[in-house]
């Protein structure tokens, strides 16, 4: 077996982390060397996902396991509160971060880019690893050139910590790059209930729906003279993100500094 990239997973016993562990164990070119999580410490991570034991035990000591395992890459699906500290530790150990955790600010991204460059390694931050979602963002960016009046509605489960979603922010950034900034709608508009018009980004609105039963969806709605255009993406299960994570784990080995957004890997 040609196991040439050593992968550590942070948030390994979480919902996304378990899918990453499966993806790594299923790919003979990847080797799972560490599983980090605050929950399930000491348990064999493969057994936890219903696979045969693999000998990698869940640990909460990121620094120690990265040093010991000589990981090449750390895939992080933890929480917006943990991810920066995890990434600083990874980079200090010259372990390349592949980050799916959302909630990043432009300053965070700049800091990690600087740290990666200082340490001579690459990193990837992708608010969405789903190839369909990336196409939705690319199509939206293209439509904004011709239909600059736009609103985004994103839908997630009610336990999501950050709003708006990382995907909607990334979509808004791509739209803004193709649309001259202007404030949409009636300048005399008032909100009788605070927040009714959603969050304002670059003159257009982002609305976050949080409900039990919802997984992850987004609509980008463009309005023009006598017409609307809706671009919609629906995610139904976490496994759908894994082909993207797999590509990122391999691509990150060739990078210097942070690449923000999985769209950079899709022509
Ligand atoms: P989850 O089920 O809550 O899993 C997060 C896991 O991380 C939990 O097991 C948590 O442990 C653990 N954790 C928290 N802090 C940690 C730390 N410092 N070190 C190690 N482990 C830590 O959440 P999820 O649904 O998997 O989502 C994780 C993140 O991925 C979220 O930010 C979500 O928005 C994002 N996401 C991204 C994509 C994408 O394509 N980029 C797709 C889906 C989700 P405890 O339970 O003990 O706190």
């Amino acid at each position: 077996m040609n196991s040439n990239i050593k992968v550590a997973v942070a948030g390994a016993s979480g919902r996304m982390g378990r899918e990453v562990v499966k993806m790594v164990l299923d790919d003979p070119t990847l080797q799972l060397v560490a599983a980090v999580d605050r929950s399930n410490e000491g348990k064999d991570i493969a057994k936890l996902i219903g696979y045969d034991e693999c000998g990698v035990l869940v640990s909460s000591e990121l620094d120690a396991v990265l040093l010991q395992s000589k990981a090449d890459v750390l895939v992080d699906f933890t929480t917006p509160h943990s991810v920066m500290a995890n990434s600083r530790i990874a980079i200090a150990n010259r372990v390349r971060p592949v980050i799916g955790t959302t909630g990043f600010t432009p300053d965070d991204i700049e800091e990690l880019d600087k740290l990666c460059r200082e340490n001579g390694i690459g990193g990837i931050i992708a608010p969405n690893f789903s190839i369909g979602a990336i196409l939705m963002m690319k199509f939206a960016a293209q439509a904004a050139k011709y239909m600059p009046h736009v609103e985004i509605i994103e839908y997630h489960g009610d336990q999501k910590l950050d709003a708006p979603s990382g995907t909607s922010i990334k979509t808004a950034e791509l739209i803004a790059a193709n649309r001259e900034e202007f404030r949409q709608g009636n300048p005399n508009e008032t909100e009788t209930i605070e927040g009714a018009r959603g969050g304002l980004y670059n003159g257009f609105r982002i609305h976050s729906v949080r409900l039990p039963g919802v997984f992850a969806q987004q609509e980008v709605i463009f309005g023009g003279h006598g017409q609307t255009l809706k671009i919609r993406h629906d995610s139904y299960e976490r496994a759908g993100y894994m082909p993207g994570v797999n590509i990122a784990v391999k691509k990150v080995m060739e990078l210097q500094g942070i690449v923000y957004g999985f769209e950079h890997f899709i022509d």
Side-chain angles (χ1 to χ4, degrees), residues 16 20 23 30 75 77 98-100 124-126 128-134 238-252 261-263 265-266:
M16 287 297 287
V20 177
M23 179 276 288
L30 304 179
V75 180
F77 280 95
V98 167
I99 301 169
I124 295 173
I125 300 172
N128 201 318
F129 280 106
S130 145
I131 288 163
I134 300 300
R238 291 178 179 82
Y241 298 103
M242 291 308 124
V245 179
N246 183 285
I247 292 170
V249 165
K250 292 167 183 171
K251 289 276 183 196
V252 77
F262 191 67
E263 68 278 8
F265 304 108
I266 293 182

Side-chain angles (χ1 to χ4, degrees), residues 9-18 36-40 59-60 62 76-83 85-86 99-103 125-130 156 160-162 165-167 215-216 238 241-242 245:
V9 181
S13 58
R15 287 164 296 187
M16 287 297 287
R18 285 173 191 241
V36 182
D37 207 293
R38 300 187 297 206
S39 312
N40 296 302
S59 164
S60 60
L62 179 65
D76 189 301
F77 280 95
T78 57
T79 69
H81 306 297
S82 310
V83 64
N86 287 351
I99 301 169
T101 310
T102 50
I125 300 172
N128 201 318
F129 280 106
S130 145
H156 282 87
K160 184 168 174 58
L161 290 172
D162 49 321
S165 70
T167 304
F215 184 53
R238 291 178 179 82
Y241 298 103
M242 291 308 124
V245 179

Side-chain angles (χ1 to χ4, degrees), residues 210-232:
R210 296 289 178 266
L211 283 172
V214 178
F215 184 53
Q217 292 150 353
Q218 181 168 295
E219 274 176 14
V220 188
I221 309 173
F222 295 89
H225 291 292
Q227 59 185 312
T228 59
L229 169 67
K230 291 183 186 166
I231 302 171
R232 180 179 171 107

Side-chain angles (χ1 to χ4, degrees), residues 48-88:
L48 213 61
I49 60 163
Y51 280 29
D52 292 340
E53 283 187 9
C54 70
V56 175
L57 307 184
V58 178
S59 164
S60 60
E61 303 294 325
L62 179 65
D63 210 349
V65 292
L66 288 183
L67 199 65
Q68 190 191 357
S69 65
K70 298 189 169 46
D72 297 308
V73 176
L74 174 70
V75 180
D76 189 301
F77 280 95
T78 57
T79 69
H81 306 297
S82 310
V83 64
M84 278 303 284
N86 287 351
S87 303
R88 288 187 192 110

